[in-house]
Amino acid sequence: MKGIYDEKHASRFIKGITRLTGISESKLTKYASENNLFNVLEHPRTINPNNQQLEKIYILNEFVSMYGLLKLQENESRLSFSSSKIAGEYFTALLGGIKDREKFMAAFLDTGNNIIELKTFSEGSISEAVVYPREILQAALNCDCKAIILAHNHPGGSLNPSIQDRDLTQKLISIFTPLQISVLDHIIVAGTNYHSMMEKGTMPQPTSDICYNAVSLNDRKAAEEERADYQLNASTHRESELDNSYWSELNGQEDEDEWEI
């Protein structure tokens, strides 16, 4: 073929043109042996196509041009999750205004932590959403991602991850770790605030027990657990105050004894 082309790539290029336009492979191969291969697309009349073939080449050219233009725009405006703060603010903007249902999403990232795809996997009731790990696994494999960020909202306003939230996170980490796909964070959004498991240092460790069972995320349970934690802390605080009061009184008596002497 005329010009410096990789024979394998040139052959596949010609086969593709044949399948898309109907121009015979032998005709294209003969032309390319004596002329610039790109003339087939850039100057299509040089190969004497019929009207139908010419129209298909025009459509193909337009597709290639638009793809290149959109790809350029994407590279210029691509969002990169370089920190949990950026991820938290991003998902807060997406989920913070949702008050009537719990919504679970995942962002699939490339090696530069740029978003390849953002998908919603569950939209439940005001306090519950059911998530299927198999669906997340399938989506991750389909887009060849290298990392994932999970996110969902708590319409009830609790920022505390529920037991189910932590269970789902650990299940997914255990599923993806052997595939060398990192689960970077799980963002929980409540109104204008968010909780990042990565920032808080509460991301679970993978286990060898891989399970694909569905998990029901429950905002109400998260709120109950948060109240239980608050009550426990409040009780501990009251006990501490009573202890301090007791010791103060005891110290006061000792002081009085010392003054009396």
Side-chain angles (χ1 to χ4, degrees):
M1 293 184 180
K2 188 176 180 62
I4 302 174
Y5 306 117
D6 180 281
E7 291 289 335
K8 181 180 178 180
H9 293 163
S11 176
R12 294 183 65 180
F13 177 82
I14 289 173
K15 288 179 185 296
I17 295 294
T18 295
R19 294 184 64 180
L20 292 170
T21 66
I23 302 172
S24 72
E25 185 177 339
S26 59
K27 181 178 181 179
L28 291 171
T29 301
K30 183 177 184 304
Y31 180 83
S33 67
E34 301 171 351
N35 302 279
N36 189 324
L37 181 57
F38 295 115
N39 284 348
V40 175
L41 294 181
E42 296 172 355
H43 305 284
R45 293 184 184 277
T46 58
I47 57 173
N48 298 315
N50 60 39
N51 290 337
Q52 187 178 16
Q53 292 168 344
L54 185 62
E55 180 64 23
K56 289 180 178 178
I57 291 175
Y58 286 157
I59 293 172
L60 179 58
N61 271 331
E62 184 176 11
F63 172 80
V64 172
S65 297
M66 290 303 100
Y67 176 83
L69 179 60
L70 291 172
K71 196 69 178 175
L72 178 62
Q73 292 176 348
E74 180 197 33
N75 289 336
E76 291 175 347
S77 60
R78 178 173 286 187
L79 176 64
S80 177
F81 285 152
S82 58
S83 69
S84 291
K85 183 176 184 294
I86 292 175
E89 291 174 349
Y90 177 81
F91 282 108
T92 298
L94 285 178
L95 299 171
I98 301 175
K99 304 294 185 182
D100 62 339
R101 63 197 184 282
E102 194 162 336
K103 184 174 182 178
F104 183 91
M105 309 179 75
F108 300 97
L109 314 178
D110 62 17
T111 53
N113 289 344
N114 304 301
I115 291 182
I116 300 172
E117 186 176 25
L118 178 69
K119 293 195 70 172
T120 297
F121 288 94
S122 178
E123 290 193 64
S125 66
I126 194 168
S127 62
E128 188 175 37
V130 179
V131 180
Y132 297 88
R134 288 182 184 275
E135 294 181 354
I136 301 173
L137 172 62
Q138 185 63 61
L141 296 177
N142 286 345
C143 67
D144 297 317
C145 73
K146 297 300 180 185
I148 304 170
I149 293 179
L150 312 170
H152 76 284
N153 65 313
H154 281 177
S158 169
L159 280 174
N160 192 39
S162 69
I163 293 173
Q164 290 85 357
D165 295 342
R166 294 189 287 269
D167 180 44
L168 175 63
T169 307
Q170 184 168 55
K171 279 186 177 180
L172 291 172
I173 290 174
S174 299
I175 288 170
F176 285 111
T177 295
L179 302 176
Q180 297 183 327
I181 297 174
S182 302
V183 179
L184 299 179
D185 204 347
H186 190 161
I187 304 291
I188 296 168
V189 176
T192 58
N193 300 310
Y194 72 88
H195 173 103
S196 161
M197 286 190 178
M198 176 58 70
E199 284 183 357
K200 300 298 183 181
T202 58
M203 287 291 284
Q205 294 298 312
T207 67
S208 57
D209 183 21
I210 296 178
C211 177
Y212 297 94
N213 293 340
V215 176
S216 178
L217 304 183
N218 197 312
D219 183 21
R220 186 181 294 111
K221 288 185 178 180
E224 290 172 354
E225 291 166 12
E226 195 168 69
R227 283 195 295 271
D229 287 343
Y230 173 79
Q231 290 169 356
L232 177 62
N233 291 334
S235 175
T236 303
H237 180 65
R238 284 196 298 271
E239 290 175 1
S240 176
E241 287 182 337
L242 289 172
D243 288 344
N244 290 336
S245 175
Y246 170 78
W247 286 111
S248 295
E249 291 178 3
L250 184 59
N251 289 334
Q253 290 174 1
E254 291 176 351
D255 290 342
E256 289 174 2
D257 290 343
E258 289 176 1
W259 280 109
E260 286 175 359
I261 293 172

